[in-house]
Amino acid sequence: MTAKLIVQLHVADYDRFKSVFDDMRPVRKEHAATAHRLHRGVDDPNRVVVVTEFATADDARAFTRSAALKEAQQRAGMDAPPDFLVCEEVETDTY
């Protein structure tokens, strides 16, 4: 079963964050990521939510502990520690 890593974070400059995020694509793939969705706050565009799909929950957890991610967080200009949630999808429906 695939796992999702949901990350909520706040950055000082979205464009700086986005550049670093894009550079991290190969690292996400190395950790068995298969897709991502990127969201910005409507009232605060520097508030970001990233939903990344991984092959397993262990892969997602390993990504959160990777040295490459920690270094990227510093380069991205995060102004607070990120909030990580590893979860499995239990239901999908469309309306």
Side-chain angles (χ1 to χ4, degrees), residues 13-85:
D13 177 340
Y14 177 81
D15 292 332
R16 177 178 168 188
F17 159 80
K18 181 65 165 80
S19 176
V20 174
F21 180 82
D22 291 346
D23 290 345
M24 287 291 291
R25 181 184 176 93
V27 176
R28 289 191 296 273
K29 288 185 76 167
E30 287 171 13
H31 283 87
T34 58
H36 76 264
R37 290 175 180 79
L38 185 58
H39 309 268
R40 288 176 83 175
V42 172
D43 296 324
D44 180 357
N46 289 329
R47 184 167 178 84
V48 179
V49 176
V50 182
V51 180
T52 307
E53 294 180 17
F54 287 85
T56 68
D58 287 341
D59 292 331
R61 287 186 198 101
F63 177 70
T64 67
R65 294 187 298 265
S66 72
L69 180 60
K70 289 178 184 10
E71 186 272 333
Q73 290 170 347
Q74 291 178 347
R75 285 189 300 123
M78 293 176 46
D79 52 15
D83 181 32
F84 295 115
L85 172 65

Side-chain angles (χ1 to χ4, degrees), residues 1-2 4 87-93:
M1 177 177 286
T2 63
K4 289 190 172 45
C87 56
E88 294 178 339
E89 189 171 293
V90 295
E91 184 174 345
T92 299
D93 199 354

